[in-house]
Amino acid sequence: MKALATRRRSRFAPTALLLLALLITGGLYAALAPSTATATASVATASDVELGMKLFQANCATCHGMNAQGSEGVPSLIGVGAAAVDFQVSTGRMPMQANGPQAPAKTPQFNEEQTAQLAAYVASLGAGPAIPTDEEIDGSQGDVANGMALFRTNCAMCHNAVGAGGALSGGKYAPALWDTSARNIYQAMLTGPQSMPVFNDNVLTAEEKRDVISYVEAQRSGSPGGADLGAIGPVSEGLWVWVVGMGLLLGCAVWIGAKSS
Amino acid sequence: MNQQNPAKGHPSQDLAAPDGQAGVPTHFTDPGHPEHQPRQSDLHPAANKRAERQVVLLFAVSVLGTIGFLVAYFAVPPGETVASMRQSNLLLGLGLFLGMFGIGAAVVHWAKSLMNSEEKAEDRHTLRSSDETRAAAVEMLREGAQDSAIGRRGVLKGAMVSALLLAPLTVVVPLVGNVGEDWDVSKFKSTMWRKGMKLTIDPSGRPIKASDLTIGSVFHVIPEGLEDTEHPLDEKAKAVVLLIRLDPRDLTEAEDRKGWSYDGIVAYSKICTHVGCPVALYEQQTHHLLCPCHQSTFDVADGAKVLFGPAKRPLPQLPIEVDDEGYLIAQSDFTEPVGPSFWERLK
């Protein structure tokens, strides 16, 4: 005990104590905190709707109105369905951080449980598209070739032939699809968020939507030819050829022509 | 300035030849080669040895690259997956690059640092041949012309000229024929759309009911029976249509086109009136339709009139209606030629 008492005055003691305290707090939190990762797409209960309404009134009602009726320049959410809410909130697009031509994807503000509650509340306001099932969004069951034909006709003009995204007018853009989850791809087709048109089940049936997901996912393993430079076409490829490629050729020509010292 | 300060002298006076006028010399003399500068490898045996080792190293890089290529060819086959193909291509390419570049760099370095660096000049000889050669050539031509009697045998001369003039036609006629192939431009004035023809989904060919469209949805449309035509791609290139449902309150319609839409559903040609790209980037909030090629922007809510870009005319509208079963059908063909302008467009 005496040895401990003398070390108490060491100049490292406060740091050591602080680290110990942090470790204990973190360990206890990890052990006791409720796990949020296990939230499942269970059937919405009345309490979900109730909690969702509270979340909505605290976070969304400023723009969308106390009863989600919308206002000038802000869409009504009655009848948009759970799929639209899940897409917008789980990708962080809503709540919007600032006014602009487009609401960008960002770190989501709500966890899965809160998102599900918000979706349950909005779904209770009017009938709309529901969140797709795991079966519907399983790209491994889709037909990649048919997905390509559909993607080429319906999606490629904005999202690029392999889903690398592209520009629209007035600062708007079609986002890249490299990291978009299958569920979000499906929901975007179903609900037509922001500038995107709606691809309801009559335009693209549920199976066709799954084919599109297969195609998008198949593009993520890259190009067999080598580096695709972002797959955005002549800008990155031209930069590479003109600056790096021709720069190397010029360097070689100068070296060959220069006198040896 | 110089004239006001004669003490400084005129700079060009130094260069002027004695008989030059206004300070311009009559000729410049050849300055010759710059003085020869010996290289490090000429002066120091150690530097010479080092340059030699560098050349050997570059050849060794080439040898290693070639061996690497052969190893990669047998050991890393392209396989079936994208990742394995990419790996195979990368290794083969690197091996090929090192194998070839090593040789080139080694040879150039060898020549530059080890071979002698004395400057040499090789003067051009005069272009004019000697007088004897020129006289002999003229004599040969004269003898040839006299021998062939081209001046007297008129029929022979005519036959030769005819053959020479006609022979190029074997090249020219197929060339012009292939370029034109079909000079009938009237087919650009109409498409395969007819009264009562169903609007179907591209590419599946499913017919579309008016009730299938929710507000903000877009259908890429081909005419019914497109695949049964003789040249489906030629027909598709003219007949593709974009079908959009708007809130009828957002829609502005010209008086003579009131009957062309159905409950907010409008159909417009997908072929840009600028140079014919498929106009398909539809922003459902602004009702703007963008062409991906040159950013022409059309307002779908107002007769597809041009808002921006190089297109000069609105997209042609396809008049549509609904049949007894609720399917969308065309009322007629487009009332004007689709796509870019051409001379005979409105004749």
Side-chain angles (χ1 to χ4, degrees):
Chain A
M1 280 309 280
K2 195 169 180 199
L4 195 67
T6 52
R7 287 193 185 180
R8 203 171 56 193
R9 296 184 183 277
S10 160
R11 61 195 169 98
F12 294 114
T15 322
L17 274 177
L18 187 67
L19 278 175
L20 192 67
L22 281 174
L23 262 174
I24 292 172
T25 320
L28 279 177
Y29 180 80
L32 301 178
S35 169
T36 53
T38 50
T40 49
S42 54
V43 183
T45 62
S47 78
D48 278 345
V49 174
E50 187 73 15
L51 288 167
M53 185 172 81
K54 287 197 177 124
L55 279 173
F56 184 90
Q57 287 173 346
N59 295 285
C60 322
T62 325
C63 304
H64 288 288
M66 281 309 271
N67 301 310
Q69 76 277 21
S71 61
E72 184 63 36
V74 183
S76 158
L77 300 186
I78 298 166
V80 299
V85 178
D86 190 49
F87 175 85
Q88 300 281 0
V89 178
S90 71
T91 59
R93 288 182 164 84
M94 290 289 149
M96 241 174 133
Q97 223 156 32
N99 269 322
Q102 183 149 340
K106 56 181 189 295
T107 314
Q109 190 173 327
F110 299 109
N111 62 29
E112 284 187 35
E113 195 184 350
Q114 291 168 320
T115 308
Q117 288 164 352
L118 271 173
Y121 167 65
V122 172
S124 74
L125 299 173
I131 296 171
T133 63
D134 289 345
E135 171 94 11
E136 285 175 313
I137 60 171
D138 184 2
S140 61
Q141 295 184 41
D143 176 353
V144 180
N146 190 41
M148 183 193 71
L150 296 165
F151 193 89
R152 208 171 47 191
T153 308
N154 293 288
C155 324
M157 53 288 212
C158 299
H159 285 288
N160 167 305
V162 294
L168 296 172
S169 67
K172 299 188 283 290
Y173 57 91
L177 305 178
W178 300 127
D179 302 321
T180 313
S181 72
R183 184 171 54 110
N184 287 149
I185 296 174
Y186 193 102
Q187 289 165 338
M189 288 189 272
L190 199 58
T191 62
Q194 302 189 37
S195 294
M196 181 164 162
V198 180
F199 296 93
N200 62 34
D201 284 350
N202 301 311
V203 191
L204 296 172
T205 63
E207 290 84 54
E208 288 175 336
K209 284 193 179 72
R210 192 166 63 188
D211 295 347
V212 168
I213 290 173
S214 308
Y215 174 74
V216 171
E217 287 177 342
Q219 304 316 306
R220 293 177 181 167
S221 47
S223 149
D228 57 17
L229 305 177
I232 52 171
V235 175
S236 58
E237 287 165 20
L239 191 74
W240 182 261
V241 168
W242 283 89
V243 175
V244 180
M246 298 199 30
L248 277 174
L249 288 180
L250 282 174
C252 286
V254 168
W255 174 66
I256 290 172
K259 279 191 172 183
S260 184
S261 61
Chain B
M1 287 291 278
N2 286 330
Q3 281 167 350
Q4 286 166 352
N5 290 313
K8 282 190 173 178
H10 199 279
S12 64
Q13 273 173 358
D14 300 337
L15 292 172
D19 53 346
Q21 290 181 344
V24 180
T26 49
H27 65 278
F28 291 99
T29 50
D30 178 4
H33 293 300
E35 200 189 337
H36 176 66
Q37 299 281 351
R39 299 163 300 184
Q40 292 295 315
S41 54
D42 298 331
L43 300 174
H44 308 291
N48 193 297
K49 204 74 195 159
R50 189 167 62 237
E52 189 182 340
R53 277 200 301 273
Q54 285 165 348
V55 174
V56 171
L57 183 75
L58 284 168
F59 278 124
V61 164
S62 166
V63 170
L64 288 178
T66 307
I67 293 172
F69 177 93
L70 293 174
V71 169
Y73 179 78
F74 290 108
V76 190
E80 295 292 320
T81 69
V82 170
S84 63
M85 285 177 206
R86 193 165 44 206
Q87 194 180 27
S88 166
N89 278 332
L90 178 72
L91 292 176
L92 291 182
L94 266 180
L96 200 59
F97 167 74
L98 292 177
M100 297 294 162
F101 188 80
I103 293 176
V107 167
V108 171
H109 194 46
W110 186 350
K112 283 177 55 165
S113 60
L114 293 178
M115 291 169 74
N116 87 67
S117 64
E118 291 294 333
E119 289 81 3
K120 283 181 186 161
E122 192 178 353
D123 289 330
R124 292 197 189 98
H125 62 79
T126 49
L127 287 172
R128 193 178 194 277
S129 307
S130 66
D131 287 339
E132 298 89 75
T133 314
R134 290 160 68 90
V138 169
E139 180 60 23
M140 270 183 229
L141 285 173
R142 200 187 56 76
E143 269 179 26
Q146 204 170 32
D147 202 22
S148 66
I150 204 166
R152 286 182 285 119
R153 298 187 176 168
V155 180
L156 200 60
K157 192 162 70 177
M160 182 182 74
V161 169
S162 308
L164 286 178
L165 284 181
L166 286 176
L169 289 182
T170 56
V171 178
V172 171
V173 169
L175 207 61
V176 172
N178 285 349
V179 167
E181 191 170 354
D182 185 355
W183 296 89
D184 175 20
V185 293
S186 68
K187 65 183 174 194
F188 296 125
K189 294 183 184 177
S190 62
T191 71
M192 66 175 284
W193 285 106
R194 294 288 171 269
K195 182 174 173 55
M197 196 174 262
K198 281 196 181 105
L199 280 69
T200 64
I201 295 177
D202 179 19
S204 68
R206 286 198 304 274
I208 306 164
K209 281 189 169 166
S211 56
D212 290 347
L213 284 92
T214 42
I215 286 176
S217 60
V218 159
F219 282 67
H220 296 265
V221 169
I222 47 176
E224 177 188 19
L226 173 75
E227 291 302 323
D228 303 329
T229 55
E230 200 177 344
H231 301 291
L233 280 180
D234 287 0
E235 296 298 339
K236 187 178 182 179
K238 293 188 293 176
V240 277
V241 157
L242 203 66
L243 188 71
I244 300 166
R245 181 167 218 156
L246 310 172
D247 189 331
R249 285 170 296 183
D250 293 336
L251 201 57
T252 314
E253 287 183 293
E255 205 53 48
D256 56 336
R257 292 188 177 186
K258 285 276 190 219
W260 286 16
S261 66
Y262 178 81
D263 199 19
I265 303 176
V266 286
Y268 285 103
S269 165
K270 214 167 108 178
I271 310 299
C272 188
T273 54
H274 175 220
V275 286
C277 293
V279 198
L281 285 77
Y282 177 62
E283 298 177 4
Q284 65 136 326
Q285 286 175 326
T286 54
H287 312 306
H288 290 177
L289 187 58
L290 273 68
C291 180
C293 291
H294 306 101
Q295 282 71 47
S296 290
T297 307
F298 303 89
D299 188 356
V300 172
D302 189 6
K305 72 172 186 199
V306 182
L307 294 175
F308 176 80
K312 274 282 171 282
R313 283 176 284 111
L315 296 169
Q317 185 173 2
L318 183 73
I320 52 168
E321 59 189 352
V322 168
D323 70 5
D324 301 337
E325 298 166 77
Y327 287 110
L328 288 166
I329 54 171
Q331 287 184 27
S332 68
D333 192 5
F334 290 101
T335 54
E336 57 181 316
V338 299
S341 303
F342 49 97
W343 287 329
E344 300 87 342
R345 185 172 168 269
L346 293 177
K347 275 181 194 164

